[in-house]
Amino acid sequence: MSGNVMELNFGSLDQFSSDQNGVSLKPLRCPAPFLLKTYDLVEQGIEGEDGIKIVSWNEEGNGFVVWSPAEFSELTLPKYFKHNNFSSFIRQLNTYGFKKISSKRWEFQHEKFQKGCRHMLVEISRKKCEPSVFPQYLKSCSEENAMTNNSSVEEDNNNHELLMEENKNLKKERLELQMQIAECKALEMKLLECLSQYMDNRQNKVRRLC
């Protein structure tokens, strides 16, 4: 220790606030790991093998779009999280106040989640259940059932949209496979035709020699 400056070994000084003498006082708030990982994967703008974007910022930079939920679940989620469940990812977004703002695509938005504003993530916090004016034991069964039903309906809607998206992707894959099969059959017919012509020419040559 020298002078009035006292050094305390609390790890990285970037994570703590300090007084004028440089003494660490209290830890600074840090964004939730989920938010940091989500921001990083959106910022990276991950693309599939065909070069088409899987996830990216929207045009305004005030939200992000999951263009292909199937590839997002299979390729992106496992790189950043310990699961590949798109429904779980959406539920996590909901707990932090993100809103799905489009009925035609998986676009999510939060006022503090914006392109180039990683520092604002610290201002995003989990939703807190609003306290009821009545104690828990005085709540009616119908109220509790209504809350449970609302949660179930929301989850069912999300699952329904996921199933519709997966069904759409499966139909697309089926069409691509059918096109590949048709191309293979056409190629097979050409090969058989070439082989037949080759055999005819060979037989004609043999006849001439005889």
Side-chain angles (χ1 to χ4, degrees):
M1 183 184 304
S2 61
N4 294 325
V5 180
M6 178 171 53
E7 296 181 358
L8 301 179
N9 186 15
F10 286 130
S12 175
L13 294 178
D14 294 337
Q15 298 177 356
F16 293 83
S17 60
S18 305
D19 64 7
Q20 295 180 352
N21 294 325
V23 179
S24 296
L25 299 176
K26 60 181 180 179
L28 297 173
R29 287 178 58 196
C30 294
F34 172 79
L35 297 174
L36 290 172
K37 293 177 181 179
T38 302
Y39 187 92
D40 289 342
L41 69 86
V42 174
E43 187 71 12
Q44 187 176 349
I46 299 173
E47 298 180 350
E49 295 179 355
D50 52 4
I52 299 177
K53 289 183 179 180
I54 297 176
V55 59
S56 70
W57 293 104
N58 60 13
E59 293 182 0
E60 296 79 11
N62 61 358
F64 68 96
V65 183
V66 178
W67 300 101
S68 176
E71 289 183 291
F72 183 77
S73 300
E74 181 181 353
L75 303 176
T76 306
L77 285 179
K79 292 181 180 179
Y80 292 85
F81 304 98
K82 296 180 179 179
H83 66 85
N84 61 349
N85 192 317
F86 190 46
S87 295
S88 297
F89 178 75
I90 292 176
R91 282 195 291 270
Q92 281 284 85
L93 290 176
N94 289 336
T95 61
Y96 285 98
F98 284 77
K99 301 294 183 182
K100 186 174 183 291
I101 61 172
S102 175
S103 60
K104 297 182 179 180
R105 63 185 186 181
W106 294 94
E107 184 173 0
F108 303 94
Q109 194 175 73
H110 190 290
E111 60 180 0
K112 301 296 183 181
F113 193 92
Q114 299 183 21
K115 185 177 183 179
C117 300
R118 200 169 190 268
H119 62 279
M120 292 201 308
L121 297 180
V122 71
E123 301 178 38
I124 303 177
S125 56
R126 279 179 173 271
K127 284 182 179 180
K128 294 181 179 179
C129 297
E130 296 182 0
S132 174
V133 294
F134 296 102
Q136 183 67 29
Y137 58 84
L138 290 181
K139 284 186 177 181
S140 65
C141 294
S142 59
E143 182 180 353
E144 292 182 356
N145 291 336
M147 293 175 63
T148 302
N149 290 337
N150 288 337
S151 177
S152 298
V153 169
E154 182 178 356
E155 185 171 353
D156 287 343
N157 288 337
N158 286 335
N159 289 336
H160 177 70
E161 291 186 9
L162 281 174
L163 289 173
M164 293 295 290
E165 183 69 24
E166 290 179 4
N167 186 43
K168 180 181 176 181
N169 290 333
L170 288 173
K171 286 183 178 179
K172 181 181 178 181
E173 291 178 4
R174 179 185 176 187
L175 180 60
E176 291 176 351
L177 288 173
Q178 287 177 337
M179 292 175 63
Q180 291 177 4
I181 291 173
E183 290 176 357
C184 289
K185 287 184 176 179
L187 181 60
E188 180 184 11
M189 293 298 294
K190 288 182 179 180
L191 289 173
L192 290 174
E193 184 179 351
C194 291
L195 180 61
S196 177
Q197 290 179 356
Y198 173 78
M199 294 300 296
D200 289 343
N201 291 336
R202 186 177 179 85
Q203 288 178 358
N204 290 334
K205 288 181 179 180
V206 171
R207 289 173 183 172
R208 288 174 185 175
L209 293 174
C210 294

